[in-house]
Amino acid sequence: MRQIKKAAVLGAGVMGATIAAHLANAGVEVVLLDIVPRELTEEEKAKGLTLEDKVVRDRIARNGLQNALNMKPAAFYLKEFADLITVGNFEDDMHKISDCDWVIEVVVENMNIKKKLLSEKVVPNFKKGAILSTNTSGLSVNEMAEVLPDDMKKNFLVTHFFNPPRYMRLMEIVPSKYTDPEIVSFMADFISKRLGKGIVYAKDTPNFIGNRIGVYVMYSAFKHLKALDMTVEEADVAAGPAIGMPKTAIFKLADLVGIDTIVHIGHNTYNLLKDDEEREIYKVPEFLEEMVKKGLHGNKTKQGFYKKEKTAEGRKTYYYDINTGEYKEAVKPKFASVQATKQIDDVATRIKTVVTGNDKASEFTWRILRDTLIYTFNRIPEIADDIVNVDNAMKWGYNWELGPFEIFDAIGVKYFVERAEKEGVKVPEKLKSIERFYKVENGVRYYYDILAGEYKPVPTDEKTINLALLKNAGKVVESNKGASLIDLGDGVYCLEFHTKMNSISGDILSMVKKSIQYVEENGVGLVLANQGKQFSVGANLAMLAVAIAEGAFDDIYMMVKAFQDAAMAIKYSKVPVVAAPFQMALGGGCEFCLHADARVAHAETYMGLVEIGVGLLPAGGGTKEMAIRAIKLAERYNTDVSPFIFKNFMNIAMAKVSMGAYELYDLGYLTDGDTVTMNIDNLIYDAKMKVLDLAQNYRPKTPLKNLKAPGRSVAASIKSQLWNMKMGGFITEYEEYLGGIIADVITGGDVNPGTPITEEYLLKLERDAFVKLCSQKKTVERIQHMLKKGKPLRN
C-alpha cells in the first residue's frame, strides 16, 4: 500500500519553506534543500568560515526554515514540529531524496530553471515509484514532463499550494498527459485528508483556475475604475464583504500580492493567451507601470495602493490616486447600496442588493461581476470540465463566499442575461438557455453540466456530512430560532447552532437540554457542531448589556444558571456528547466544549476563555471546570495542586486563545482522548465516529462531590503575584481586582486547603461572582467598548 512518510521540498523560499512547514504539521518527515550560496556573509567571514563549510552551504535552506519559524501568522501549528525538517543543499544532499516518497519542486517560476533542476538533479537521485510534483502556479506541466524518463512521467503532476499553505485551503492538481490516474487519485486523497486541502482538478492552461479568474477580476477592476472615475478606496468598499469578497477586496489584495508581481503576471498572461477573447484586458495600465517605477510595490515596500503613516493625530491611511499619482487621505466612503447590506447575513441577497442598486458602487460591482462571470462561463471546458471545480477554486483560493456560478444564481441568470444584452454586451448563446447552475432536491445538490446540458450530482466524499443538505432531506428532529437537532444516522444526532456568529442564546440553551433528552431516549450519542463561519463566539453580549442597563440582576443570575444547567446537561448526559469546534470557539463556546465527553477539533481552532476582556469571568461552568481539572491532576500525581491551578488561572486571567488546535493540549482545553482533524469537511464525520466509538462502552458520569478545595492560601498566593504585576505596571488596578475574583472562585472560595467541596458549590461561586462583576462600572465600560469597537478595553 502506497504511503507518504517522507517528502523532499526543493526550494526554501517563502513558498518552499512554508510547504515544508505544513507537511511537518501533518507529521511528514521533510528534507528541505536549496542552492549553495555564492558569497559569504559578513558574519560568516568574521567566524573564519569558507564557502566549503557545510554550515555555509546549507545557509539558504536553513534561513528559509528560520523564516518559516518566525512567521506571523505562524506557519507551524507548534514550533517543535519543525524538528521533522532537515535542511541541506542541491550539491551535497540531493542523494537524500532517494528515500523520499514525494518530491516537490518549488524553485523560481522559470521554465528553464525548473527543467534543468528536474533533469540534472532530480532524475539521477529519484526513488523508483516515488511521486514527483511541481508547485508551479501556471507553467506547463506537459512541457516539464518532457525532460523526465518514461517511468517518472507517469508519477509527475502539478500540486499547486496557495500562499500561505497552512491557511489557504485550495490545492490545484494538474496532471500531465502522461500522469497515471491512480497517482492523481492517491495524491488527492492524501492531500485532502492529511494536509486538509480542498482539491480542485485543473487543466494544463496558463495560471490554471484560481489565478486565471483572480487575475482577470483584478485587471477588469483596473479597466472599470478608470471608466467610472472611481478611487481605489471606493472600489474596495464596493467589491469587498458586501458582495462576498474578502476585506482585502481588489486593491488591498494587489498590495498583498505585490504591484510588481501583478504587472509581471499581466505581461506573462498577455503573452501566453494569444487566442483569449479578452486578451487586451491584460495590457498593463500606465498607472500600474508608473507605480512600479516609483517603487510602490505594495505591502513589501509599505506603500502601494495604500500606505499608513504615524501623525501627531494618530495613525492615518492614505490611498493612491491613479490620476494624479499622489497619495490622498482615506475618507472611508459610504454608498447606499453597500450600507443596505450591513444587516443582511445571506450572501446571495447581499450580492443582489448591491448589483441592483443605483449608485456608483452598484455600477462598478455589476460591471466587474458581469465581465468576470461571462469570461468564466467561456472558460469551460478550457480550464476545467465543470463549474464545481471553478467555484471551489475561487472560494478556497481567493476566499470568495460564493463561486462565479453561484454568483450567477444569486443575481439570477435570466436577469443577468437581459441586463447584459440591454447594455450591448455579448452573452454566450448557451448561457441564455440555463435557468440556474445549482439546485437541491431531496438532500442532494446538483450542478449544471454545461457540456452535457444536464444536471448532475455534485461529487461528495463519504466522509463529508453537509448539514444544510440533511436539513433539506427532512432530517431535522427539533428546531427553534437558535438551534436545530439533526439526525446524522446510526443513532447519532447533531446539535447545530445557527445564530449570528453562533453566539449562545436562550434558544440554544433550551435546545441543548431538549436535544440531550431526545437522544437519550432515541439514539446513541450527540455531536455539538455547525457549519457557520465560527463554532461560537460565546454568550450574547448585547443581551447581557441590556439586562445590566435595566438593573435586572436577578434575571442575569437566572440566565447564568440556565447556561450552567445546559453545560452540566452536556457533561452528565446518559449518552456520549462530542464537540467539534473550528475557527473561533470563545467564552461560552469553549465552555460547552469543555463539558463534552470528547472533542474533535479542526486544526484551525482558536479557543479560549476570554470573558475577562469584558470584565467578567467564565461562568458557564468554565472556571469550575478548570478548577476541577487542576484538582484531578494533582490527585492523579499525588502532588501539590498549586501549579495546576496557577496555570489554569493564567489561561483565564490572560484570556489566552489558542492559535491552532494543537496548542489546546498545553492549555488544558484538549485532553489525551481528543483528536485533531485537518480537513474541515471531515470534521462532523470524525466527531460522529468518535461518538460511535464512545457509545460502545459508555459509562455516564455523576456530579462530583468531595473535591479537595485548593483553598484561600492558594488564592492568596495568586493575589500577591497580581499585586506585583500591578506594581510593575503590567496590569491595571481593575485587572488586579478581576484577577482576585477569579482566584477566589478557581480555588474554591474562602475555605481551608483540602476542604471537601462539590461541583455545584463551585458553580454557585461562579454565578455570584459573575453577577457581582456585572454591577461594576468598569465592567460595564468594557462591555460597551467591546460592543462598539469589537476589541477589549483595558481600564
Side-chain angles (χ1 to χ4, degrees):
M1 184 180 165
R2 185 182 285 277
Q3 285 186 306
I4 292 177
K5 297 176 184 171
K6 188 174 182 181
V9 177
L10 310 181
V14 172
M15 270 316 277
T18 49
I19 287 170
H22 198 56
L23 287 167
N25 284 337
V28 177
E29 207 179 323
V30 186
V31 177
L32 178 64
L33 308 179
D34 210 312
I35 59 170
V36 173
R38 294 197 184 98
E39 294 176 356
L40 292 168
T41 63
E42 291 304 316
E43 192 182 347
E44 286 165 346
K45 286 176 189 171
K47 287 180 178 174
L49 296 168
T50 73
L51 287 171
E52 297 310 307
D53 284 305
K54 189 76 167 77
V55 69
V56 173
R57 293 169 75 79
D58 293 346
R59 186 216 313 145
I60 293 173
R62 190 176 60 254
N63 286 354
L65 176 57
Q66 193 56 51
N67 291 340
L69 276 163
N70 295 338
M71 271 182 189
K72 284 183 181 173
F76 290 96
Y77 290 138
L78 295 175
K79 285 200 186 287
E80 54 261 39
F81 288 178
D83 294 345
L84 282 171
I85 301 175
T86 306
V87 298
N89 66 75
F90 292 157
E91 305 303 321
D92 307 325
D93 302 298
M94 212 64 189
H95 64 277
K96 290 179 181 172
I97 74 169
S98 63
D99 63 347
C100 291
D101 309 299
W102 178 19
V103 176
I104 316 169
E105 170 276 304
V106 200
V107 298
V108 66
E109 277 291 271
N110 177 296
M111 182 60 84
N112 291 333
I113 291 172
K114 286 181 186 289
K115 290 203 288 196
K116 192 172 180 346
L117 178 74
L118 293 176
S119 59
E120 295 181 12
K121 302 284 186 191
V122 176
V123 171
N125 293 288
F126 202 68
K127 179 170 86 172
K128 187 175 172 58
I131 293 164
L132 174 65
S133 74
T134 170
N135 186 59
T136 179
S137 57
L139 296 178
S140 173
V141 64
N142 283 307
E143 187 179 335
M144 271 184 246
E146 295 303 337
V147 303
L148 302 173
D150 289 345
D151 62 332
M152 281 177 69
K153 280 179 184 171
K154 68 181 196 307
N155 286 12
F156 178 60
L157 68 166
V158 171
T159 52
H160 179 216
F161 288 82
F162 270 57
N163 189 27
R166 171 180 162 181
Y167 301 95
M168 294 306 290
R169 197 159 168 229
L170 180 59
M171 162 59 64
E172 290 182 316
I173 287 184
V174 190
S176 80
K177 59 189 176 187
Y178 307 107
T179 314
D180 182 345
E182 281 188 20
I183 293 294
V184 174
S185 177
F186 170 80
M187 288 304 285
D189 189 62
F190 175 83
I191 291 168
S192 166
K193 289 189 178 69
R194 289 288 297 280
L195 303 183
K197 299 295 166 202
I199 306 297
V200 157
Y201 298 98
K203 295 189 175 182
D204 191 18
T205 54
N207 296 342
F208 306 137
I209 300 174
N211 289 338
R212 180 73 172 273
I213 306 303
V215 171
Y216 180 86
V217 173
M218 207 168 272
Y219 274 84
S220 174
F222 298 155
K223 171 185 159 185
H224 293 301
L225 188 78
K226 273 280 194 190
L228 291 168
D229 192 27
M230 286 179 80
T231 69
V232 299
E233 192 189 14
E234 287 173 332
D236 277 354
V237 168
I243 60 163
M245 305 290 183
K247 285 180 184 172
T248 48
I250 289 164
F251 294 94
K252 289 190 192 84
L253 177 62
D255 278 354
L256 191 66
V257 174
I259 312 296
D260 52 337
T261 306
I262 300 291
V263 168
H264 174 71
I265 292 169
H267 288 312
N268 260 9
T269 308
Y270 184 81
N271 292 332
L272 289 167
L273 298 177
K274 292 190 165 55
D275 300 323
D276 193 298
E277 78 276 9
E278 285 279 276
R279 186 186 183 209
E280 291 305 305
I281 206 165
Y282 295 109
K283 277 193 171 169
V284 178
E286 200 178 314
F287 72 82
L288 220 55
E289 300 276 23
E290 278 299 310
M291 290 178 78
V292 174
K293 280 181 198 163
K294 290 179 186 173
L296 310 178
H297 293 178
N299 291 3
K300 54 192 163 191
T301 57
K302 297 194 174 166
Q303 44 186 357
F305 283 114
Y306 296 92
K307 71 171 183 177
K308 290 185 178 176
E309 280 183 2
K310 280 184 183 170
T311 66
E313 302 102 70
R315 221 166 156 71
K316 283 193 178 173
T317 301
Y318 300 86
Y319 71 87
Y320 185 79
D321 186 324
I322 65 168
N323 297 312
T324 65
E326 304 292 327
Y327 281 100
K328 292 185 176 174
E329 191 172 337
V331 293
K332 294 185 179 173
K334 287 191 165 111
F335 296 105
S337 63
V338 174
Q339 292 298 110
T341 66
K342 296 288 183 189
Q343 300 306 314
I344 302 171
D345 288 338
D346 178 59
V347 63
T349 311
R350 292 205 308 268
I351 292 169
K352 185 89 184 228
T353 302
V354 175
V355 299
T356 56
N358 56 7
D359 53 26
K360 204 155 57 164
S362 299
E363 184 60 26
F364 176 75
T365 304
W366 161 251
R367 286 193 191 187
I368 60 167
L369 287 179
R370 177 197 67 196
D371 295 358
T372 299
L373 298 190
I374 290 173
Y375 184 74
T376 306
F377 185 88
N378 287 333
R379 303 281 71 79
I380 305 275
E382 181 196 341
I383 62 174
D385 285 328
D386 60 64
I387 66 173
V388 179
N389 279 293
V390 174
D391 279 349
N392 285 341
M394 300 318 294
K395 288 188 288 188
W396 296 336
Y398 278 79
N399 286 332
W400 291 14
E401 285 187 60
L402 297 180
F405 294 95
E406 291 170 323
I407 295 173
F408 261 125
D409 285 350
I411 294 171
V413 181
K414 188 169 180 284
Y415 170 87
F416 181 96
V417 169
E418 286 173 1
R419 182 170 170 182
E421 287 196 315
K422 199 184 284 183
E423 293 169 349
V425 173
K426 189 183 174 189
V427 175
E429 279 304 314
K430 271 189 178 179
L431 181 59
K432 296 176 189 177
S433 62
I434 298 169
E435 283 182 34
R436 57 183 302 110
F437 286 96
Y438 291 94
K439 64 178 183 177
V440 177
E441 290 176 359
N442 303 318
V444 179
R445 191 174 191 226
Y446 296 88
Y447 74 95
Y448 186 76
D449 186 324
I450 296 170
L451 303 180
E454 62 184 21
Y455 287 97
K456 293 180 178 176
V458 173
T460 55
D461 182 271
E462 60 181 19
K463 292 188 175 179
T464 298
I465 292 174
N466 184 310
L467 296 180
L469 294 180
L470 287 175
K471 284 156 87 170
N472 178 268
K475 298 292 185 183
V476 176
V477 174
E478 292 266 2
S479 189
N480 64 24
K481 203 175 170 188
S484 297
L485 182 65
I486 304 163
D487 187 351
L488 300 180
D490 302 314
V492 182
Y493 293 80
C494 174
L495 175 59
E496 176 208 29
F497 310 153
H498 40 71
T499 55
K500 192 175 180 69
M501 301 283 278
N502 288 320
S503 64
I504 296 166
S505 62
D507 284 335
I508 289 176
L509 297 181
S510 67
M511 191 54 79
V512 167
K513 297 177 96 171
K514 257 190 200 174
S515 298
I516 288 169
Q517 196 175 350
Y518 182 91
V519 179
E520 284 176 344
E521 291 169 9
N522 300 285
V524 299
L526 181 68
V527 172
L528 301 179
N530 64 74
Q531 289 171 323
K533 288 184 184 175
Q534 319 290 345
F535 176 76
S536 173
V537 295
N540 189 321
L541 201 57
M543 280 174 61
L544 178 64
V546 170
I548 292 172
E550 292 173 352
F553 295 108
D554 286 347
D555 290 350
I556 292 170
Y557 189 91
M558 293 314 295
M559 192 164 69
V560 176
K561 176 81 167 66
F563 207 126
Q564 292 179 340
D565 287 349
M568 294 293 274
I570 290 169
K571 185 170 182 179
Y572 295 111
S573 161
K574 298 288 187 286
V575 292
V577 179
V578 173
F582 63 95
Q583 290 296 313
M584 286 199 279
L586 304 176
C590 174
E591 287 175 302
F592 273 6
C593 293
L594 292 178
H595 286 83
D597 289 287
R599 287 136 294 272
V600 176
H602 180 239
E604 299 301 337
T605 297
Y606 316 121
M607 184 188 282
L609 297 167
V610 296
E611 286 83 352
I612 197 168
V614 288
L616 296 167
L617 86 165
T623 309
K624 174 267 306 179
E625 200 59 28
M626 298 320 288
I628 290 170
R629 289 188 181 196
I631 292 165
K632 291 285 184 189
L633 274 171
E635 277 180 9
R636 186 195 300 175
Y637 297 113
N638 193 25
T639 188
D640 179 22
V641 73
S642 300
F644 302 117
I645 282 286
F646 192 74
K647 183 176 182 181
N648 290 352
F649 165 82
M650 289 302 288
N651 289 347
I652 296 171
M654 294 178 71
K656 285 186 182 176
V657 176
S658 66
M659 289 295 101
Y662 283 100
E663 290 185 10
L664 290 168
Y665 290 102
D666 187 54
L667 289 171
Y669 298 152
L670 288 190
T671 58
D672 290 345
D674 299 332
T675 54
V676 175
T677 291
M678 293 291 273
N679 191 325
I680 188 78
D681 285 345
N682 297 348
L683 185 64
I684 295 177
Y685 174 88
D686 290 347
K688 177 185 171 181
M689 291 301 108
K690 175 73 85 174
V691 166
L692 290 171
D693 185 40
L694 292 172
Q696 295 292 325
N697 298 289
Y698 190 65
R699 187 171 187 274
K701 298 186 285 291
T702 53
L704 297 167
K705 296 173 181 174
N706 294 317
L707 294 161
K708 292 176 185 171
R712 66 172 74 89
S713 56
V714 179
S717 170
I718 292 171
K719 287 175 185 177
S720 70
Q721 295 204 39
L722 289 169
W723 185 85
N724 288 335
M725 289 171 79
K726 182 191 72 174
M727 298 311 289
F730 297 108
I731 60 173
T732 66
E733 187 174 344
Y734 193 60
E735 284 165 342
E736 179 194 18
Y737 172 75
L738 290 170
I741 298 270
I742 295 165
D744 285 336
V745 176
I746 204 168
T747 56
D750 188 16
V751 296
N752 290 324
T755 301
I757 57 171
T758 65
E759 197 164 3
E760 184 48 50
Y761 166 81
L762 284 168
L763 287 170
K764 185 172 186 311
L765 288 180
E766 268 188 6
R767 289 196 297 277
D768 292 342
F770 188 91
V771 175
K772 181 180 180 181
L773 290 174
C774 283
S775 66
Q776 304 295 312
K777 182 171 174 282
K778 286 185 184 290
T779 285
V780 174
E781 287 169 4
R782 284 188 172 213
I783 291 171
Q784 288 171 345
H785 189 273
M786 179 61 79
L787 288 170
K788 281 180 194 165
K789 307 274 188 181
K791 53 187 178 186
L793 168 73
R794 295 192 64 191
N795 56 357

